Amino acid sequence: MLQRDPGAVQRVAAGHSEAQRTAALLEALLGALPSNDVARVQELLGWLWREGYEPATDPFLSRYLPQAALALEITPEISVELPLTRDTIGLTLAEALQSAGDVRGASDIVEEVTPSTVAAVSLAELYAEQARWADVIALTDGVANEDEASMYLLVQRAVALRSTGNPGAAREALKEALRLRSRPAQLRHRALVERAYTYLAENKRAMARKDLEKVLAEDSSYPGLAEAMAELPRE
C-alpha cells in the first residue's frame, strides 16, 4: 500500500523534470483518491490514460516506491490490491467515471485494459448496470467457480440469463456459484438473493422463500434483502 507522505513524495517527484506524469499519478493516488475528489481523479488519471503512461516502467517509481500497490473496490463484494500499472490506472479511472454516472465511458475504458478476471468483474458490473445482458453472457461463458471473482461473475451471468428469459440456465449458473460454502458470506448472500428472484420468475415461491430466509438468518440487514422479501406472497 502507498503509505508515504503525499507532500514529501510529490516534492521529490517535482525535482525531476521528466516526472510530470509521475507527479500526476502520485497526486491522484495520495491526494485525490483518499479525499474522494472524483473530478480530480478523472482529470489526472484520464490524462495519464490518454498519454499511454505505464507506471511499471517509471524509473522514479521503481527507485522510490518499488512495492507500491493500490487497494481498489471493484464491486461491493470484490476488493483487490493491484500493482501500479497502466491497467490499474484504467480500472481506477473506470471506477471514478462510474461513480460520476458515466457508466458507458467506464466500460469503454475497461474494454481497453488487459483481459483478466479483475477486468471481467468490472466489466460484468458495468454491463449489468447498462442492461447489456448479451455482453454479460458472452463475457462469462465457460466461467467456473475457482475464486471469489469467478463466483461474482457466475452471479452476474445468472442475472443476465434470467433477464433474457432463461431462468433454468440462470439456476445452473447459481448452482455453480453456490457450490463452495467457503466463499465469503456477502457473495453467498448475493447468490441466494438472485436465486430467490429466479425461483420467483418460475413461480416457485416456496423455494424463493427458503433462500431468502437463509440470508435473513445470517444477516437481516443484507442490502436488497428487504426488497426481495417484499416480493414474496403473504402467507
mmCIF file of all heavy atoms in Angstrom, residues 155 158-159 162 167 170-175 178 187-216 222 224-233:
data_model
loop_
_atom_site.group_PDB
_atom_site.id
_atom_site.type_symbol
_atom_site.label_atom_id
_atom_site.label_comp_id
_atom_site.label_asym_id
_atom_site.label_seq_id
_atom_site.Cartn_x
_atom_site.Cartn_y
_atom_site.Cartn_z
ATOM 1 N N VAL A 155 -22.679 -15.151 -10.672
ATOM 2 C CA VAL A 155 -23.909 -14.498 -10.209
ATOM 3 C C VAL A 155 -24.402 -13.503 -11.258
ATOM 4 O O VAL A 155 -25.601 -13.457 -11.573
ATOM 5 C CB VAL A 155 -23.675 -13.799 -8.855
ATOM 6 C CG1 VAL A 155 -24.910 -12.995 -8.445
ATOM 7 C CG2 VAL A 155 -23.338 -14.827 -7.772
ATOM 8 N N ALA A 158 -25.993 -15.306 -14.069
ATOM 9 C CA ALA A 158 -27.349 -15.744 -13.723
ATOM 10 C C ALA A 158 -28.353 -14.610 -13.877
ATOM 11 O O ALA A 158 -29.462 -14.808 -14.408
ATOM 12 C CB ALA A 158 -27.371 -16.290 -12.305
ATOM 13 N N VAL A 159 -27.992 -13.420 -13.431
ATOM 14 C CA VAL A 159 -28.885 -12.265 -13.576
ATOM 15 C C VAL A 159 -29.169 -12.002 -15.047
ATOM 16 O O VAL A 159 -30.315 -11.752 -15.450
ATOM 17 C CB VAL A 159 -28.266 -11.019 -12.912
ATOM 18 C CG1 VAL A 159 -29.123 -9.782 -13.189
ATOM 19 C CG2 VAL A 159 -28.121 -11.225 -11.414
ATOM 20 N N ARG A 162 -31.455 -14.779 -16.467
ATOM 21 C CA ARG A 162 -32.836 -14.594 -16.006
ATOM 22 C C ARG A 162 -33.491 -13.416 -16.719
ATOM 23 O O ARG A 162 -34.657 -13.476 -17.119
ATOM 24 C CB ARG A 162 -32.856 -14.374 -14.495
ATOM 25 C CG ARG A 162 -34.272 -14.282 -13.922
ATOM 26 C CD ARG A 162 -34.277 -14.017 -12.428
ATOM 27 N NE ARG A 162 -33.856 -12.667 -12.097
ATOM 28 C CZ ARG A 162 -32.827 -12.370 -11.319
ATOM 29 N NH1 ARG A 162 -32.078 -13.321 -10.786
ATOM 30 N NH2 ARG A 162 -32.525 -11.111 -11.068
ATOM 31 N N PRO A 167 -34.551 -18.662 -17.000
ATOM 32 C CA PRO A 167 -34.363 -18.918 -15.565
ATOM 33 C C PRO A 167 -33.721 -20.264 -15.259
ATOM 34 O O PRO A 167 -32.981 -20.391 -14.278
ATOM 35 C CB PRO A 167 -35.786 -18.840 -15.001
ATOM 36 C CG PRO A 167 -36.670 -19.141 -16.165
ATOM 37 C CD PRO A 167 -35.974 -18.544 -17.347
ATOM 38 N N ALA A 170 -30.147 -19.805 -15.615
ATOM 39 C CA ALA A 170 -29.704 -18.952 -14.506
ATOM 40 C C ALA A 170 -29.484 -19.785 -13.253
ATOM 41 O O ALA A 170 -28.497 -19.593 -12.527
ATOM 42 C CB ALA A 170 -30.734 -17.855 -14.250
ATOM 43 N N ARG A 171 -30.392 -20.722 -12.989
ATOM 44 C CA ARG A 171 -30.239 -21.569 -11.805
ATOM 45 C C ARG A 171 -29.000 -22.439 -11.894
ATOM 46 O O ARG A 171 -28.333 -22.706 -10.887
ATOM 47 C CB ARG A 171 -31.481 -22.443 -11.612
ATOM 48 C CG ARG A 171 -32.624 -21.721 -10.911
ATOM 49 C CD ARG A 171 -33.723 -22.675 -10.481
ATOM 50 N NE ARG A 171 -34.455 -23.205 -11.610
ATOM 51 C CZ ARG A 171 -34.320 -24.420 -12.113
ATOM 52 N NH1 ARG A 171 -33.436 -25.265 -11.583
ATOM 53 N NH2 ARG A 171 -35.052 -24.821 -13.141
ATOM 54 N N GLU A 172 -28.656 -22.888 -13.095
ATOM 55 C CA GLU A 172 -27.443 -23.690 -13.253
ATOM 56 C C GLU A 172 -26.205 -22.862 -12.931
ATOM 57 O O GLU A 172 -25.266 -23.351 -12.292
ATOM 58 C CB GLU A 172 -27.361 -24.235 -14.684
ATOM 59 C CG GLU A 172 -28.324 -25.368 -14.967
ATOM 60 C CD GLU A 172 -28.109 -26.553 -14.030
ATOM 61 O OE1 GLU A 172 -26.948 -27.005 -13.903
ATOM 62 O OE2 GLU A 172 -29.091 -27.000 -13.415
ATOM 63 N N ALA A 173 -26.192 -21.600 -13.357
ATOM 64 C CA ALA A 173 -25.060 -20.721 -13.036
ATOM 65 C C ALA A 173 -24.972 -20.495 -11.532
ATOM 66 O O ALA A 173 -23.880 -20.491 -10.946
ATOM 67 C CB ALA A 173 -25.208 -19.393 -13.770
ATOM 68 N N LEU A 174 -26.126 -20.335 -10.897
ATOM 69 C CA LEU A 174 -26.130 -20.112 -9.449
ATOM 70 C C LEU A 174 -25.780 -21.381 -8.679
ATOM 71 O O LEU A 174 -25.191 -21.308 -7.590
ATOM 72 C CB LEU A 174 -27.499 -19.585 -9.022
ATOM 73 C CG LEU A 174 -27.774 -18.146 -9.483
ATOM 74 C CD1 LEU A 174 -29.254 -17.804 -9.331
ATOM 75 C CD2 LEU A 174 -26.909 -17.151 -8.711
ATOM 76 N N LYS A 175 -26.113 -22.518 -9.226
ATOM 77 C CA LYS A 175 -25.717 -23.782 -8.603
ATOM 78 C C LYS A 175 -24.195 -23.872 -8.524
ATOM 79 O O LYS A 175 -23.626 -24.270 -7.499
ATOM 80 C CB LYS A 175 -26.281 -24.958 -9.388
ATOM 81 C CG LYS A 175 -25.905 -26.327 -8.829
ATOM 82 C CD LYS A 175 -26.498 -27.443 -9.682
ATOM 83 C CE LYS A 175 -26.107 -28.819 -9.160
ATOM 84 N NZ LYS A 175 -26.675 -29.910 -10.009
ATOM 85 N N LEU A 178 -22.830 -21.343 -5.945
ATOM 86 C CA LEU A 178 -23.042 -21.731 -4.549
ATOM 87 C C LEU A 178 -22.428 -23.085 -4.201
ATOM 88 O O LEU A 178 -22.637 -23.590 -3.098
ATOM 89 C CB LEU A 178 -24.547 -21.753 -4.255
ATOM 90 C CG LEU A 178 -25.208 -20.368 -4.203
ATOM 91 C CD1 LEU A 178 -26.716 -20.485 -4.323
ATOM 92 C CD2 LEU A 178 -24.821 -19.648 -2.913
ATOM 93 N N LEU A 187 -20.903 -12.696 -0.718
ATOM 94 C CA LEU A 187 -21.105 -13.261 -2.042
ATOM 95 C C LEU A 187 -22.180 -14.348 -2.027
ATOM 96 O O LEU A 187 -23.019 -14.424 -2.936
ATOM 97 C CB LEU A 187 -19.790 -13.838 -2.577
ATOM 98 C CG LEU A 187 -18.849 -12.876 -3.287
ATOM 99 C CD1 LEU A 187 -17.517 -13.566 -3.573
ATOM 100 C CD2 LEU A 187 -19.461 -12.370 -4.589
ATOM 101 N N ARG A 188 -22.149 -15.201 -1.004
ATOM 102 C CA ARG A 188 -23.175 -16.241 -0.917
ATOM 103 C C ARG A 188 -24.562 -15.627 -0.778
ATOM 104 O O ARG A 188 -25.524 -16.105 -1.402
ATOM 105 C CB ARG A 188 -22.885 -17.168 0.271
ATOM 106 C CG ARG A 188 -21.694 -18.092 0.082
ATOM 107 C CD ARG A 188 -21.625 -19.156 1.150
ATOM 108 N NE ARG A 188 -21.461 -18.601 2.489
ATOM 109 C CZ ARG A 188 -22.428 -18.480 3.379
ATOM 110 N NH1 ARG A 188 -23.669 -18.861 3.089
ATOM 111 N NH2 ARG A 188 -22.180 -17.975 4.583
ATOM 112 N N HIS A 189 -24.680 -14.590 0.020
ATOM 113 C CA HIS A 189 -25.971 -13.934 0.191
ATOM 114 C C HIS A 189 -26.452 -13.323 -1.124
ATOM 115 O O HIS A 189 -27.643 -13.401 -1.451
ATOM 116 C CB HIS A 189 -25.877 -12.872 1.280
ATOM 117 C CG HIS A 189 -25.616 -13.448 2.635
ATOM 118 N ND1 HIS A 189 -25.139 -12.701 3.697
ATOM 119 C CD2 HIS A 189 -25.754 -14.718 3.117
ATOM 120 C CE1 HIS A 189 -24.999 -13.470 4.762
ATOM 121 N NE2 HIS A 189 -25.367 -14.700 4.424
ATOM 122 N N ARG A 190 -25.538 -12.729 -1.873
ATOM 123 C CA ARG A 190 -25.915 -12.161 -3.179
ATOM 124 C C ARG A 190 -26.445 -13.265 -4.095
ATOM 125 O O ARG A 190 -27.471 -13.096 -4.772
ATOM 126 C CB ARG A 190 -24.693 -11.478 -3.810
ATOM 127 C CG ARG A 190 -24.909 -10.973 -5.235
ATOM 128 C CD ARG A 190 -25.776 -9.739 -5.290
ATOM 129 N NE ARG A 190 -25.991 -9.307 -6.662
ATOM 130 C CZ ARG A 190 -25.172 -8.491 -7.337
ATOM 131 N NH1 ARG A 190 -24.082 -8.016 -6.749
ATOM 132 N NH2 ARG A 190 -25.456 -8.138 -8.565
ATOM 133 N N ALA A 191 -25.760 -14.403 -4.098
ATOM 134 C CA ALA A 191 -26.184 -15.513 -4.941
ATOM 135 C C ALA A 191 -27.546 -16.060 -4.506
ATOM 136 O O ALA A 191 -28.403 -16.389 -5.346
ATOM 137 C CB ALA A 191 -25.137 -16.618 -4.922
ATOM 138 N N LEU A 192 -27.760 -16.146 -3.209
ATOM 139 C CA LEU A 192 -29.042 -16.659 -2.708
ATOM 140 C C LEU A 192 -30.194 -15.711 -3.037
ATOM 141 O O LEU A 192 -31.292 -16.160 -3.413
ATOM 142 C CB LEU A 192 -28.957 -16.882 -1.194
ATOM 143 C CG LEU A 192 -28.126 -18.088 -0.749
ATOM 144 C CD1 LEU A 192 -27.849 -18.028 0.746
ATOM 145 C CD2 LEU A 192 -28.829 -19.406 -1.106
ATOM 146 N N VAL A 193 -29.954 -14.417 -2.909
ATOM 147 C CA VAL A 193 -30.999 -13.456 -3.258
ATOM 148 C C VAL A 193 -31.326 -13.547 -4.749
ATOM 149 O O VAL A 193 -32.501 -13.547 -5.146
ATOM 150 C CB VAL A 193 -30.571 -12.026 -2.867
ATOM 151 C CG1 VAL A 193 -31.522 -10.989 -3.471
ATOM 152 C CG2 VAL A 193 -30.538 -11.873 -1.353
ATOM 153 N N GLU A 194 -30.300 -13.654 -5.578
ATOM 154 C CA GLU A 194 -30.548 -13.758 -7.013
ATOM 155 C C GLU A 194 -31.241 -15.077 -7.361
ATOM 156 O O GLU A 194 -32.084 -15.123 -8.272
ATOM 157 C CB GLU A 194 -29.243 -13.615 -7.792
ATOM 158 C CG GLU A 194 -28.575 -12.253 -7.678
ATOM 159 C CD GLU A 194 -29.436 -11.099 -8.186
ATOM 160 O OE1 GLU A 194 -30.445 -11.369 -8.880
ATOM 161 O OE2 GLU A 194 -29.107 -9.950 -7.886
ATOM 162 N N ARG A 195 -30.908 -16.142 -6.647
ATOM 163 C CA ARG A 195 -31.608 -17.398 -6.912
ATOM 164 C C ARG A 195 -33.070 -17.305 -6.490
ATOM 165 O O ARG A 195 -33.955 -17.873 -7.140
ATOM 166 C CB ARG A 195 -30.921 -18.567 -6.209
ATOM 167 C CG ARG A 195 -31.455 -19.928 -6.696
ATOM 168 C CD ARG A 195 -30.601 -21.073 -6.238
ATOM 169 N NE ARG A 195 -30.663 -21.287 -4.797
ATOM 170 C CZ ARG A 195 -30.052 -22.290 -4.172
ATOM 171 N NH1 ARG A 195 -29.302 -23.148 -4.867
ATOM 172 N NH2 ARG A 195 -30.126 -22.423 -2.857
ATOM 173 N N ALA A 196 -33.335 -16.562 -5.402
ATOM 174 C CA ALA A 196 -34.722 -16.360 -4.983
ATOM 175 C C ALA A 196 -35.512 -15.642 -6.071
ATOM 176 O O ALA A 196 -36.653 -16.026 -6.383
ATOM 177 C CB ALA A 196 -34.762 -15.568 -3.681
ATOM 178 N N TYR A 197 -34.926 -14.605 -6.655
ATOM 179 C CA TYR A 197 -35.602 -13.909 -7.744
ATOM 180 C C TYR A 197 -35.819 -14.844 -8.940
ATOM 181 O O TYR A 197 -36.843 -14.763 -9.633
ATOM 182 C CB TYR A 197 -34.785 -12.694 -8.184
ATOM 183 C CG TYR A 197 -34.994 -11.458 -7.341
ATOM 184 C CD1 TYR A 197 -33.937 -10.876 -6.648
ATOM 185 C CD2 TYR A 197 -36.249 -10.863 -7.245
ATOM 186 C CE1 TYR A 197 -34.125 -9.732 -5.870
ATOM 187 C CE2 TYR A 197 -36.449 -9.720 -6.473
ATOM 188 C CZ TYR A 197 -35.383 -9.168 -5.789
ATOM 189 O OH TYR A 197 -35.578 -8.038 -5.018
ATOM 190 N N THR A 198 -34.863 -15.728 -9.164
ATOM 191 C CA THR A 198 -35.001 -16.689 -10.263
ATOM 192 C C THR A 198 -36.143 -17.656 -9.985
ATOM 193 O O THR A 198 -36.953 -17.959 -10.876
ATOM 194 C CB THR A 198 -33.681 -17.445 -10.474
ATOM 195 O OG1 THR A 198 -32.631 -16.500 -10.716
ATOM 196 C CG2 THR A 198 -33.776 -18.394 -11.657
ATOM 197 N N TYR A 199 -36.231 -18.146 -8.758
ATOM 198 C CA TYR A 199 -37.347 -19.018 -8.389
ATOM 199 C C TYR A 199 -38.683 -18.284 -8.541
ATOM 200 O O TYR A 199 -39.675 -18.859 -9.019
ATOM 201 C CB TYR A 199 -37.189 -19.516 -6.953
ATOM 202 C CG TYR A 199 -36.221 -20.651 -6.782
ATOM 203 C CD1 TYR A 199 -35.290 -20.641 -5.733
ATOM 204 C CD2 TYR A 199 -36.240 -21.759 -7.634
ATOM 205 C CE1 TYR A 199 -34.398 -21.685 -5.556
ATOM 206 C CE2 TYR A 199 -35.347 -22.809 -7.462
ATOM 207 C CZ TYR A 199 -34.437 -22.771 -6.425
ATOM 208 O OH TYR A 199 -33.561 -23.823 -6.244
ATOM 209 N N LEU A 200 -38.716 -17.018 -8.160
ATOM 210 C CA LEU A 200 -39.946 -16.257 -8.307
ATOM 211 C C LEU A 200 -40.335 -16.119 -9.776
ATOM 212 O O LEU A 200 -41.526 -16.158 -10.117
ATOM 213 C CB LEU A 200 -39.792 -14.871 -7.671
ATOM 214 C CG LEU A 200 -39.818 -14.829 -6.148
ATOM 215 C CD1 LEU A 200 -39.451 -13.438 -5.638
ATOM 216 C CD2 LEU A 200 -41.195 -15.237 -5.620
ATOM 217 N N ALA A 201 -39.346 -15.979 -10.638
ATOM 218 C CA ALA A 201 -39.626 -15.897 -12.075
ATOM 219 C C ALA A 201 -40.238 -17.192 -12.592
ATOM 220 O O ALA A 201 -40.950 -17.188 -13.603
ATOM 221 C CB ALA A 201 -38.344 -15.573 -12.842
ATOM 222 N N GLU A 202 -39.962 -18.290 -11.893
ATOM 223 C CA GLU A 202 -40.517 -19.596 -12.270
ATOM 224 C C GLU A 202 -41.754 -19.950 -11.439
ATOM 225 O O GLU A 202 -42.248 -21.072 -11.508
ATOM 226 C CB GLU A 202 -39.456 -20.677 -12.091
ATOM 227 C CG GLU A 202 -38.221 -20.485 -12.969
ATOM 228 C CD GLU A 202 -37.164 -21.543 -12.698
ATOM 229 O OE1 GLU A 202 -36.616 -21.549 -11.583
ATOM 230 O OE2 GLU A 202 -36.918 -22.365 -13.594
ATOM 231 N N ASN A 203 -42.201 -18.982 -10.621
ATOM 232 C CA ASN A 203 -43.359 -19.178 -9.742
ATOM 233 C C ASN A 203 -43.120 -20.257 -8.690
ATOM 234 O O ASN A 203 -44.060 -20.909 -8.223
ATOM 235 C CB ASN A 203 -44.622 -19.506 -10.557
ATOM 236 C CG ASN A 203 -45.892 -19.143 -9.819
ATOM 237 O OD1 ASN A 203 -45.922 -18.199 -9.022
ATOM 238 N ND2 ASN A 203 -46.951 -19.902 -10.046
ATOM 239 N N LYS A 204 -41.861 -20.439 -8.293
ATOM 240 C CA LYS A 204 -41.503 -21.396 -7.244
ATOM 241 C C LYS A 204 -41.322 -20.608 -5.946
ATOM 242 O O LYS A 204 -40.217 -20.374 -5.469
ATOM 243 C CB LYS A 204 -40.239 -22.157 -7.619
ATOM 244 C CG LYS A 204 -40.405 -23.005 -8.886
ATOM 245 C CD LYS A 204 -39.104 -23.701 -9.259
ATOM 246 C CE LYS A 204 -39.267 -24.564 -10.511
ATOM 247 N NZ LYS A 204 -37.998 -25.222 -10.900
ATOM 248 N N ARG A 205 -42.420 -20.192 -5.379
ATOM 249 C CA ARG A 205 -42.387 -19.260 -4.259
ATOM 250 C C ARG A 205 -41.796 -19.876 -2.993
ATOM 251 O O ARG A 205 -41.081 -19.194 -2.247
ATOM 252 C CB ARG A 205 -43.807 -18.753 -4.010
ATOM 253 C CG ARG A 205 -44.377 -18.002 -5.205
ATOM 254 C CD ARG A 205 -45.839 -17.644 -4.990
ATOM 255 N NE ARG A 205 -46.378 -16.940 -6.154
ATOM 256 C CZ ARG A 205 -47.646 -16.543 -6.248
ATOM 257 N NH1 ARG A 205 -48.494 -16.790 -5.254
ATOM 258 N NH2 ARG A 205 -48.052 -15.908 -7.333
ATOM 259 N N ALA A 206 -42.091 -21.126 -2.736
ATOM 260 C CA ALA A 206 -41.567 -21.761 -1.527
ATOM 261 C C ALA A 206 -40.043 -21.848 -1.578
ATOM 262 O O ALA A 206 -39.365 -21.616 -0.560
ATOM 263 C CB ALA A 206 -42.177 -23.150 -1.361
ATOM 264 N N MET A 207 -39.492 -22.163 -2.741
ATOM 265 C CA MET A 207 -38.040 -22.235 -2.884
ATOM 266 C C MET A 207 -37.415 -20.842 -2.725
ATOM 267 O O MET A 207 -36.349 -20.697 -2.120
ATOM 268 C CB MET A 207 -37.680 -22.820 -4.243
ATOM 269 C CG MET A 207 -38.182 -24.244 -4.459
ATOM 270 S SD MET A 207 -37.442 -25.409 -3.286
ATOM 271 C CE MET A 207 -35.762 -25.481 -3.916
ATOM 272 N N ALA A 208 -38.093 -19.839 -3.263
ATOM 273 C CA ALA A 208 -37.589 -18.477 -3.118
ATOM 274 C C ALA A 208 -37.555 -18.074 -1.651
ATOM 275 O O ALA A 208 -36.573 -17.501 -1.162
ATOM 276 C CB ALA A 208 -38.463 -17.515 -3.919
ATOM 277 N N ARG A 209 -38.623 -18.380 -0.938
ATOM 278 C CA ARG A 209 -38.677 -18.041 0.482
ATOM 279 C C ARG A 209 -37.561 -18.749 1.252
ATOM 280 O O ARG A 209 -36.935 -18.157 2.139
ATOM 281 C CB ARG A 209 -40.045 -18.433 1.054
ATOM 282 C CG ARG A 209 -40.221 -18.048 2.526
ATOM 283 C CD ARG A 209 -41.592 -18.457 3.045
ATOM 284 N NE ARG A 209 -42.658 -17.768 2.328
ATOM 285 C CZ ARG A 209 -43.049 -16.537 2.619
ATOM 286 N NH1 ARG A 209 -42.472 -15.863 3.610
ATOM 287 N NH2 ARG A 209 -44.031 -15.977 1.933
ATOM 288 N N LYS A 210 -37.307 -19.984 0.915
ATOM 289 C CA LYS A 210 -36.270 -20.753 1.607
ATOM 290 C C LYS A 210 -34.908 -20.076 1.456
ATOM 291 O O LYS A 210 -34.148 -19.951 2.431
ATOM 292 C CB LYS A 210 -36.230 -22.173 1.061
ATOM 293 C CG LYS A 210 -35.224 -23.073 1.744
ATOM 294 C CD LYS A 210 -35.290 -24.480 1.161
ATOM 295 C CE LYS A 210 -34.254 -25.400 1.824
ATOM 296 N NZ LYS A 210 -34.308 -26.771 1.253
ATOM 297 N N ASP A 211 -34.582 -19.624 0.248
ATOM 298 C CA ASP A 211 -33.293 -18.965 0.029
ATOM 299 C C ASP A 211 -33.213 -17.641 0.780
ATOM 300 O O ASP A 211 -32.185 -17.321 1.404
ATOM 301 C CB ASP A 211 -33.076 -18.730 -1.470
ATOM 302 C CG ASP A 211 -32.478 -19.941 -2.168
ATOM 303 O OD1 ASP A 211 -32.044 -20.872 -1.477
ATOM 304 O OD2 ASP A 211 -32.438 -19.939 -3.410
ATOM 305 N N LEU A 212 -34.276 -16.865 0.737
ATOM 306 C CA LEU A 212 -34.256 -15.574 1.415
ATOM 307 C C LEU A 212 -34.192 -15.736 2.928
ATOM 308 O O LEU A 212 -33.545 -14.932 3.621
ATOM 309 C CB LEU A 212 -35.482 -14.752 1.014
ATOM 310 C CG LEU A 212 -35.522 -14.309 -0.450
ATOM 311 C CD1 LEU A 212 -36.799 -13.543 -0.739
ATOM 312 C CD2 LEU A 212 -34.304 -13.456 -0.804
ATOM 313 N N GLU A 213 -34.817 -16.763 3.441
ATOM 314 C CA GLU A 213 -34.762 -16.995 4.887
ATOM 315 C C GLU A 213 -33.365 -17.429 5.334
ATOM 316 O O GLU A 213 -32.973 -17.164 6.470
ATOM 317 C CB GLU A 213 -35.827 -18.009 5.292
ATOM 318 C CG GLU A 213 -37.240 -17.417 5.247
ATOM 319 C CD GLU A 213 -38.313 -18.400 5.648
ATOM 320 O OE1 GLU A 213 -38.007 -19.617 5.730
ATOM 321 O OE2 GLU A 213 -39.458 -17.965 5.874
ATOM 322 N N LYS A 214 -32.622 -18.076 4.445
ATOM 323 C CA LYS A 214 -31.230 -18.398 4.764
ATOM 324 C C LYS A 214 -30.423 -17.115 4.964
ATOM 325 O O LYS A 214 -29.624 -17.006 5.896
ATOM 326 C CB LYS A 214 -30.602 -19.224 3.632
ATOM 327 C CG LYS A 214 -31.073 -20.658 3.540
ATOM 328 C CD LYS A 214 -30.387 -21.362 2.378
ATOM 329 C CE LYS A 214 -30.881 -22.796 2.219
ATOM 330 N NZ LYS A 214 -30.264 -23.465 1.045
ATOM 331 N N VAL A 215 -30.641 -16.153 4.072
ATOM 332 C CA VAL A 215 -29.941 -14.879 4.197
ATOM 333 C C VAL A 215 -30.409 -14.150 5.450
ATOM 334 O O VAL A 215 -29.601 -13.620 6.219
ATOM 335 C CB VAL A 215 -30.173 -14.004 2.951
ATOM 336 C CG1 VAL A 215 -29.438 -12.663 3.095
ATOM 337 C CG2 VAL A 215 -29.712 -14.733 1.692
ATOM 338 N N LEU A 216 -31.711 -14.149 5.675
ATOM 339 C CA LEU A 216 -32.286 -13.472 6.835
ATOM 340 C C LEU A 216 -31.705 -14.009 8.142
ATOM 341 O O LEU A 216 -31.425 -13.247 9.070
ATOM 342 C CB LEU A 216 -33.806 -13.647 6.826
ATOM 343 C CG LEU A 216 -34.593 -12.964 7.952
ATOM 344 C CD1 LEU A 216 -34.445 -11.452 7.868
ATOM 345 C CD2 LEU A 216 -36.062 -13.379 7.880
ATOM 346 N N TYR A 222 -28.864 -7.400 5.194
ATOM 347 C CA TYR A 222 -28.183 -7.517 3.900
ATOM 348 C C TYR A 222 -28.873 -6.613 2.868
ATOM 349 O O TYR A 222 -30.104 -6.643 2.728
ATOM 350 C CB TYR A 222 -28.192 -8.966 3.406
ATOM 351 C CG TYR A 222 -27.501 -9.123 2.078
ATOM 352 C CD1 TYR A 222 -26.117 -9.097 1.989
ATOM 353 C CD2 TYR A 222 -28.240 -9.246 0.905
ATOM 354 C CE1 TYR A 222 -25.477 -9.209 0.764
ATOM 355 C CE2 TYR A 222 -27.611 -9.353 -0.326
ATOM 356 C CZ TYR A 222 -26.224 -9.331 -0.384
ATOM 357 O OH TYR A 222 -25.591 -9.418 -1.598
ATOM 358 N N GLY A 224 -30.761 -5.165 -0.069
ATOM 359 C CA GLY A 224 -31.640 -5.770 -1.063
ATOM 360 C C GLY A 224 -32.510 -6.884 -0.532
ATOM 361 O O GLY A 224 -33.445 -7.317 -1.208
ATOM 362 N N LEU A 225 -32.222 -7.359 0.682
ATOM 363 C CA LEU A 225 -32.995 -8.474 1.236
ATOM 364 C C LEU A 225 -34.440 -8.053 1.504
ATOM 365 O O LEU A 225 -35.377 -8.791 1.173
ATOM 366 C CB LEU A 225 -32.347 -8.985 2.522
ATOM 367 C CG LEU A 225 -33.108 -10.096 3.255
ATOM 368 C CD1 LEU A 225 -33.268 -11.339 2.378
ATOM 369 C CD2 LEU A 225 -32.400 -10.458 4.557
ATOM 370 N N ALA A 226 -34.631 -6.890 2.106
ATOM 371 C CA ALA A 226 -35.992 -6.446 2.417
ATOM 372 C C ALA A 226 -36.826 -6.316 1.150
ATOM 373 O O ALA A 226 -38.002 -6.719 1.125
ATOM 374 C CB ALA A 226 -35.945 -5.118 3.164
ATOM 375 N N GLU A 227 -36.223 -5.788 0.101
ATOM 376 C CA GLU A 227 -36.949 -5.644 -1.162
ATOM 377 C C GLU A 227 -37.313 -7.002 -1.747
ATOM 378 O O GLU A 227 -38.414 -7.188 -2.280
ATOM 379 C CB GLU A 227 -36.107 -4.848 -2.164
ATOM 380 C CG GLU A 227 -35.897 -3.390 -1.800
ATOM 381 C CD GLU A 227 -34.787 -3.161 -0.796
ATOM 382 O OE1 GLU A 227 -34.219 -4.140 -0.295
ATOM 383 O OE2 GLU A 227 -34.492 -1.986 -0.506
ATOM 384 N N ALA A 228 -36.396 -7.959 -1.636
ATOM 385 C CA ALA A 228 -36.668 -9.293 -2.150
ATOM 386 C C ALA A 228 -37.769 -9.978 -1.333
ATOM 387 O O ALA A 228 -38.676 -10.625 -1.886
ATOM 388 C CB ALA A 228 -35.402 -10.145 -2.131
ATOM 389 N N MET A 229 -37.704 -9.822 -0.017
ATOM 390 C CA MET A 229 -38.744 -10.390 0.830
ATOM 391 C C MET A 229 -40.118 -9.826 0.515
ATOM 392 O O MET A 229 -41.134 -10.528 0.599
ATOM 393 C CB MET A 229 -38.407 -10.155 2.308
ATOM 394 C CG MET A 229 -37.149 -10.831 2.815
ATOM 395 S SD MET A 229 -37.308 -12.633 2.985
ATOM 396 C CE MET A 229 -38.436 -12.755 4.379
ATOM 397 N N ALA A 230 -40.158 -8.562 0.149
ATOM 398 C CA ALA A 230 -41.423 -7.914 -0.183
ATOM 399 C C ALA A 230 -42.072 -8.503 -1.427
ATOM 400 O O ALA A 230 -43.277 -8.355 -1.646
ATOM 401 C CB ALA A 230 -41.217 -6.419 -0.346
ATOM 402 N N GLU A 231 -41.246 -9.168 -2.269
ATOM 403 C CA GLU A 231 -41.786 -9.798 -3.472
ATOM 404 C C GLU A 231 -42.499 -11.123 -3.170
ATOM 405 O O GLU A 231 -43.228 -11.641 -4.014
ATOM 406 C CB GLU A 231 -40.642 -10.051 -4.474
ATOM 407 C CG GLU A 231 -39.970 -8.788 -4.989
ATOM 408 C CD GLU A 231 -40.872 -7.992 -5.907
ATOM 409 O OE1 GLU A 231 -41.677 -8.612 -6.637
ATOM 410 O OE2 GLU A 231 -40.789 -6.749 -5.863
ATOM 411 N N LEU A 232 -42.266 -11.669 -1.990
ATOM 412 C CA LEU A 232 -42.898 -12.928 -1.639
ATOM 413 C C LEU A 232 -44.384 -12.708 -1.335
ATOM 414 O O LEU A 232 -44.759 -11.682 -0.765
ATOM 415 C CB LEU A 232 -42.225 -13.534 -0.414
ATOM 416 C CG LEU A 232 -40.772 -13.979 -0.574
ATOM 417 C CD1 LEU A 232 -40.196 -14.383 0.779
ATOM 418 C CD2 LEU A 232 -40.654 -15.121 -1.570
ATOM 419 N N PRO A 233 -45.228 -13.674 -1.695
ATOM 420 C CA PRO A 233 -46.657 -13.549 -1.363
ATOM 421 C C PRO A 233 -46.859 -13.661 0.142
ATOM 422 O O PRO A 233 -46.111 -14.356 0.834
ATOM 423 C CB PRO A 233 -47.277 -14.726 -2.108
ATOM 424 C CG PRO A 233 -46.178 -15.727 -2.235
ATOM 425 C CD PRO A 233 -44.929 -14.910 -2.424
#
